[in-house]
Amino acid sequence: MFAKTFGWSFILTGVALVLAFLYGGTNALILCAILGVLEISLSFDNAVVNARILERMSPFWQKMFLTVGILIAVVGMRILFPLLIVGVTASLNPAEALTLALEKGDIETEGTYAYLLNEAHPQIAAYGGLFLLMLFLDFMFEERDIHWLGFLERPLAFIGKLGSATLVVAMAALLFIGAFAGDSQVDVFIAGAAGILTYLLVTGLGDLFDVDGDGDTDADDTDATAAKIAGGKKSGPNGLVKATGKAAFMLFLYLEVIDASFSFDGVIGAFAITSDPIIIALGLGLIGAIFVRSMTIFLVKQGTLDDYVYLDHGAHWAIGALSVILLLTINIHINEVITGLIGLVFIIAALTSSIIRNKRVAAAAPATPEFSK
């Protein structure tokens, strides 16, 4: 199972390291390996959230996530997204942005690709930070039977009874960070508002196409409806109702937007290590993004999220921490090691708590009587 799921990840990791060595020698190989480790460490929480959504999709749409989705993650977010940001920021056409990207230059040198992308960090952080903050709040504001950090989650669930609590808190956060954004204030407000609107649009379209499965389905979706994005409904012998048609398409879009938002910190953090777009694409894309897909599939096939009930909570606390870190980096520098480790710490803590809970439940369960034949 492990070898089958992660086989291609290890093969492509080898390919990426060989290409990095051929491109820039030993130094490029080392940088590529560091970026791969950075992306994987940042992506445990991403894999958990992805898995929870992916398990509600039909096999066809799961394959779409692993094929079209990986192209979006590697080519779109790790290559085209930085080029687009630099092009817009510096008023360059795509060809000029690519030429600038291939020129050597560090993050401190004005006019270089790395410098321009770093200058756009406030907008990127505001957009990604507010989107992820709303994802975190929607999960925490929902009333649920199981709590991990109950002393925090129960009060948050109570606050969630306030109508539009997620939007209220997100707008308050935007006003707060915008007030201290200095020269970038207008850009931060616009980007943050865009992040909020993107989240509302994607989740709103999910409701429109009955992604939560609580209303009438579209004519194209009569064979199945989706479980709720953030909660999920159990049905049938296989537990979760599988989404198809427009409902699955909306889940796919939702999944891709979340996946893209998770990649912001990795893309920006990579430029603290190297400004070479080729090495970044190999390390973050060919190694990191592929491993995220493999981890996601492994979690789905193993049923890990159902066996370890606090993993969802840990992943969303990691999302909340990442969103706060992104918003704080608009004004202050936070070491990439902290960003990379905080999600891993939450996931490990949630997994450990889940294992302890499972042992406690098993010990409390009445013994099954044995009957002799």
Side-chain angles (χ1 to χ4, degrees), residues 26-28 43 50 59 62 89 95 120 128 139 151 160 164 172 175 186 217 219 224 266 285 294 300 302 326 331 352:
T26 303
N27 185 56
S43 300
N50 285 355
Q62 290 182 359
T89 304
F139 181 87
F151 67 99
S164 304
L175 290 173
V186 174
T217 58
S294 295
V300 172
Q302 291 291 100
L326 279 173
N331 294 307
T352 303

Side-chain angles (χ1 to χ4, degrees), residues 254-278:
Y254 181 75
L255 186 56
E256 288 303 321
V257 174
I258 289 176
D259 197 50
S261 298
F262 270 108
S263 69
F264 288 153
D265 60 324
V267 171
I268 298 300
F271 281 86
I273 298 172
T274 178
S275 60
D276 193 313
I278 303 299

